[in-house]
């Protein structure tokens, strides 16, 4: 497993992991969405913009990174390690169909945060061996914003992965104000939330509520 700055960054993944998707909230710019999540207490913000071209995404990453200056939030880019690295983000998150973690690590070096989506404990252990700093486990619950090729795994499976994973675990899919405390109680280091926050009248206010609910679930 990599060590140093990237692992230290992974340890900051506590609480709310916000998903910034302009297809869900199109009345705000991507930097504005990222900043609202960060001001609400998100410890990490992941840019998830599937329809963007490479140049458009690169510009958005750079602007979002500048917008997050002075906050405690890490900026992570979904799928695109090249754009994440060139844009000055803190890390990248890759899924099953993206570049393998070991290849991403070769590309970005040891001091760049890498997250990987996994479906079970062995996947988490394999991701760690390949060089990931954290894993996103799920889907924990059902969701309408992303299509998964597996059924919802549930809280017991989440707890088992957290217990056995050598690196931090972020719970993903279907998490909202009603369920974020449950994933915290199951041991998740952080909870990824997208539409539940982005569709709220105030992203920042909703993010604050999500943070409070996560912290309550940890007690």
């Amino acid at each position: 497993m990599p060590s140093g700055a990237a692992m230290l960054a992974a340890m900051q993944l506590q609480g709310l992991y916000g998903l910034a998707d302009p297809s869900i909230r199109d009345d705000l710019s991507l930097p504005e969405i990222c900043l609202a999540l960060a001001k609400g207490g998100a410890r990490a913000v992941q840019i998830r913009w599937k329809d963007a071209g490479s140049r458009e995404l690169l510009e958005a990453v750079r602007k979002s990174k500048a917008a997050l200056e002075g906050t405690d939030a890490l900026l992570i880019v979904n799928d695109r390690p090249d754009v994440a690295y060139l844009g000055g983000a803190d890390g990248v998150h890759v899924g099953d169909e993206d570049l393998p973690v070991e290849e991403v690590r070769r590309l970005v070096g040891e001091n760049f945060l890498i997250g990987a989506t996994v479906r079970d404990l062995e996947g988490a252990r394999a991701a760690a061996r390949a060089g990931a700093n954290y894993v996103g486990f799920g889907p924990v619950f059902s969701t309408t914003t992303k299509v998964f090729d597996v059924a919802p795994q549930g809280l017991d499976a989440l707890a088992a992965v957290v217990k056995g994973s050598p690196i931090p675990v972020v719970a993903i899919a279907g998490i909202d104000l009603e369920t974020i405390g449950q994933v915290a109680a199951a041991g998740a280091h952080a909870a990824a939330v997208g539409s539940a926050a982005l569709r709220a009248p105030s992203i920042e206010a909703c993010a604050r509520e999500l943070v409070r609910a996560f912290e309550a679930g940890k007690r």
Side-chain angles (χ1 to χ4, degrees):
M1 290 188 296
S3 59
M7 285 306 296
L8 290 174
M11 297 309 294
Q12 295 181 40
L13 297 177
Q14 298 287 334
L16 178 60
Y17 181 113
L19 302 174
D21 186 341
S23 71
I24 296 176
R25 187 65 180 261
D26 60 6
D27 62 323
L28 298 173
S29 69
L30 194 49
E32 288 172 330
I33 294 172
C34 291
L35 182 58
L37 288 165
K39 289 175 70 175
R43 299 300 301 275
V45 177
Q46 182 194 121
I47 291 177
R48 180 185 286 176
W49 193 6
K50 298 288 189 179
D51 297 330
S54 296
R55 292 188 182 187
E56 186 179 29
L57 181 58
L58 178 61
E59 181 181 5
V61 171
R62 287 174 171 162
K63 288 181 176 179
S64 298
K65 182 61 177 176
L68 292 180
E69 269 190 47
T71 74
D72 294 328
L74 298 165
L75 181 64
I76 298 168
V77 178
N78 190 50
D79 295 346
R80 295 293 303 273
D82 54 342
V83 175
Y85 188 74
L86 290 172
D90 300 292
V92 64
H93 189 94
V94 293
D96 298 335
E97 298 180 357
D98 300 320
L99 287 175
V101 169
E102 56 268 29
E103 299 297 339
V104 176
R105 180 58 69 196
R106 289 177 59 194
L107 177 66
V108 300
E110 291 299 305
N111 293 321
F112 203 71
L113 187 66
I114 299 176
T117 299
V118 301
R119 306 291 181 225
D120 52 31
L121 178 55
E122 181 47 44
R125 290 171 173 165
R129 290 192 300 268
N133 304 107
Y134 76 93
V135 294
F137 170 76
V140 178
F141 306 110
S142 61
T143 177
T144 59
T145 57
K146 184 175 180 180
V147 177
F148 289 92
D149 57 1
V150 295
Q153 303 295 293
L155 293 167
D156 289 343
L158 171 63
V161 171
V162 171
K163 183 177 180 180
S165 175
I167 51 180
V169 178
V170 178
I172 60 175
I175 301 169
D176 56 21
L177 273 170
E178 293 184 3
T179 57
I180 194 169
Q182 298 173 41
V183 301
H189 298 80
V193 180
S195 60
L198 300 190
R199 288 175 176 153
S202 169
I203 294 174
E204 182 179 341
C206 184
R208 287 199 185 98
E209 291 185 64
L210 287 160
V211 170
R212 284 194 291 268
F214 186 93
E215 291 173 349
K218 280 290 188 184
R219 298 190 189 112

